[in-house]
Amino acid sequence: MKDVRPTSGLVLSALFNILNMASGAKFLDLFAGTGRVGFEAMKKYSAEVIFVENIRARAEAIKKSGGFVLNLDVRRAVTWLNKHGHKFNYIFADPPYNSGWCEIITSFTGLNDLFFDDEAIFIIEHSAREELKNFGSFELYSQRQYGETILSFLRRAN
């Protein structure tokens, strides 16, 4: 099993200070790993969270901790979520650093359909060494750097 790189406490705190989510928001945690980000959304904002984690052992650990988890590849999970009519206020993705996933995920067919409205936010956590150039059907409206980690905030392009 590949090593997991949990979101640091500093980045986690900054993320939720920036988002200032409304209670009960719908939150999708892609590449969930330990589920730390999604569980923080649940704890701090009573968010309704769906976790997506491809590695079975990690998915089982999230499930045992009380999370609803899809043990699927992210592409298949997006298809499943659309098929079942799920919509989100926030989508958070923390793909493996320097893997190319940051650019790939913005081009997923159907990802746009998972947003409630144009105010929904897509957040990608990535390495400062991994520059995002292609945003697909999204537009970058903010980036924050914390050491080697960048949080990129995107919205649907109009």
Side-chain angles (χ1 to χ4, degrees), residues 66-105:
F68 178 81
V69 63
L70 296 175
N71 183 210
L72 297 170
D73 171 81
V74 172
R75 286 174 276 242
R76 290 183 56 219
V78 167
T79 300
W80 187 94
L81 291 162
N82 274 310
K83 181 179 177 184
H84 290 88
H86 289 278
K87 301 281 185 193
F88 301 93
N89 305 101
Y90 304 93
I91 297 178
F92 178 81
D94 182 8
Y97 278 14
N98 305 309
S99 64
W101 269 108
C102 292
E103 298 253 332
I104 294 167
I105 196 168

